[in-house]
Amino acid sequence: MAAALMMACASYGSAGGPADATWHFAVSGDSRNCGDVVMPAIAAGARANQAAFFWHLGDLRAINDFDEDFHALHPNASMAEYLSTAWLDFEHNQIEPFGSMPVFLTIGNHEVIPPKTREDFVVTFADWLNGAAVREQRVKDDDHDHKLRPYYHWTIDGMDFITLDNATPDQFDAAQLKWLTQILRNDRHDDAIRALVVGMHEALPESLARGHSMNDSPSADAGLQVYGQLLEVRKSKPVYVLASHSHFVMENVFNTPYWHEHGGVLPGWIVGTAGAFRYALPPEAARAKFARTHVYGYLSATVSPAGVDKKNPIQFEFQEVTEGAVAADIVDRFGAELVHRCFQENAQN
């Protein structure tokens, strides 16, 4: 993975040396339940679009119960057997289909359901949390910082991609806020950084999905603080905010009365459509620019070359993955019945 990521950074430019052509990346989240069926199709779409990387916004496996796809392959497995192999199952069935494409991981709330912990997540996925671009950026920020964390950032072509950790009620904690404040301060004063993309599992507070977001958390005030900091950055540079957690896709998620009255609306998406049990849209979805549920898919992002469309250098478009896009070998492995059930029944009524 590290070699592939270094090649990607070289191909698409670094913060100090922008690329001279458009390029793409892909984002989705919440691949529990039926992710082993859906994610290979997402990977195929991302590869066909020559995406530079895939960014997973958290909730890899259910952990609180058997994932339906896992149970189809291992109908007689005990819960202990499931818990000991669930993340390995994710690696084999959901990461490996991306081949040499770099994959970045975000911690979600299902990654810390007991007996799993944040520390387990960091150890298990260390290779992805400490890829070459992440490691080099961390040392560039502080040459004495060698600590692996579930929050981190990396830069490609003047784009700063920031992964945050709000998987538990205590986050964002003081240490993460201090780290983020410094990153945002650096970005504001770095002429090589032309835009920021901030990804996390739960949407920041007061979104159109406020009923299932950081509004649920005791640390909602910290989420409001982060939003305010991002508004400050947006005065001089574009900022995009991505989340999953809610199992639908929605654009312009901060188009709420609260944010119109408290500083402004940041461009934001929720894309929890990588295999998880699909939720009904909230009534507030009528304010969204685009909103759909009972769908699977990912955001395909197109990045403009430096100097082109400076105010909005990234265009996001939802790419739906249909049942027909599931490869024959996946259907053979999991069974046509499960695949059909994942697409037709994995949802609230």
Side-chain angles (χ1 to χ4, degrees):
M1 176 188 163
L5 184 54
M6 292 176 70
M7 290 177 63
C9 292
S11 300
Y12 295 98
S14 65
D20 57 2
T22 59
W23 56 279
H24 310 277
F25 63 92
V27 187
S28 195
D30 292 271
S31 60
R32 57 185 177 91
N33 305 115
C34 286
D36 289 0
V37 171
V38 176
M39 281 284 285
I42 290 177
R47 292 198 315 270
N49 200 36
Q50 298 183 321
F53 60 83
F54 176 76
W55 194 355
H56 195 301
L57 297 178
D59 279 8
L60 319 178
R61 300 275 72 191
I63 304 303
N64 61 325
D65 199 355
F66 294 100
D67 297 281
E68 288 84 337
D69 47 28
F70 181 95
H71 193 260
L73 290 183
H74 312 282
N76 298 316
S78 67
M79 193 62 184
E81 290 169 331
Y82 164 71
L83 290 171
S84 67
T85 59
W87 285 352
L88 185 61
D89 170 90
F90 168 78
E91 181 180 341
H92 286 325
N93 293 302
Q94 299 189 33
I95 293 183
E96 289 181 4
F98 287 91
S100 61
M101 182 186 300
V103 173
F104 294 90
L105 300 180
T106 303
I107 188 170
N109 61 296
H110 279 255
E111 278 70 79
V112 292
I113 290 177
K116 301 295 188 184
T117 66
R118 178 175 279 103
E119 290 72 23
D120 291 338
F121 175 83
V122 170
V123 170
T124 301
F125 296 107
D127 286 351
W128 289 270
L129 303 178
N130 197 37
V134 175
R135 184 172 59 253
E136 291 169 9
Q137 184 64 54
R138 187 175 65 245
V139 173
K140 180 180 178 181
D141 295 337
D142 180 353
D143 58 7
H144 296 292
D145 184 4
H146 306 287
K147 184 177 180 179
L148 202 59
R149 304 178 182 88
Y151 54 89
Y152 57 92
H153 75 127
W154 75 99
T155 58
I156 302 177
D157 186 24
M159 302 288 158
D160 195 359
F161 297 94
I162 303 172
T163 290
L164 299 180
D165 170 7
N166 60 3
T168 53
D170 63 317
Q171 300 295 330
F172 311 114
D173 66 5
Q176 186 173 185
L177 285 174
K178 179 180 179 181
W179 172 87
L180 178 62
T181 299
Q182 185 61 54
I183 298 305
L184 297 181
R185 182 181 297 117
N186 293 345
D187 283 350
R188 289 179 65 184
H189 296 95
D190 188 344
D191 292 338
I193 298 298
R194 56 194 183 102
L196 288 73
V197 188
V198 185
M200 65 205 75
H201 185 62
E202 295 189 5
L204 291 172
E206 303 301 335
S207 73
L208 294 174
R210 71 186 306 277
H212 194 61
S213 71
M214 282 194 77
N215 279 93
D216 299 333
S217 173
S219 60
D221 286 347
L224 295 174
Q225 179 181 336
V226 168
Y227 192 101
Q229 290 180 307
L230 297 177
L231 281 175
E232 285 299 312
V233 176
R234 191 167 179 253
K235 291 178 180 179
S236 58
K237 299 183 179 186
V239 175
Y240 306 88
V241 185
L242 310 177
S244 57
H245 194 48
S246 292
H247 304 164
F248 46 69
V249 58
M250 187 184 293
E251 181 182 6
N252 203 19
V253 299
F254 298 110
N255 182 31
T256 63
Y258 181 93
W259 286 120
H260 280 285
E261 297 168 5
H262 292 81
V265 175
L266 290 170
W269 283 82
I270 289 174
V271 57
T273 54
F277 182 88
R278 294 166 293 187
Y279 297 164
L281 290 171
E284 294 81 3
R287 298 181 62 92
K289 184 176 180 180
F290 171 83
R292 289 184 67 191
T293 191
H294 295 189
V295 293
Y296 298 126
Y298 63 99
L299 293 182
S300 177
T302 300
V303 183
S304 300
V308 177
D309 201 359
K310 294 182 180 180
K311 292 185 178 180
N312 189 25
I314 306 178
Q315 301 292 327
F316 293 93
E317 182 179 1
F318 182 68
Q319 300 292 327
E320 183 177 357
V321 168
T322 64
E323 185 174 349
V326 178
D329 65 313
I330 300 297
V331 176
D332 290 343
R333 185 175 184 209
F334 290 92
E337 180 181 354
L338 174 74
V339 172
H340 187 70
R341 191 162 71 244
C342 283
F343 278 84
Q344 300 303 320
E345 301 178 15
N346 189 32
Q348 292 175 331
N349 293 327

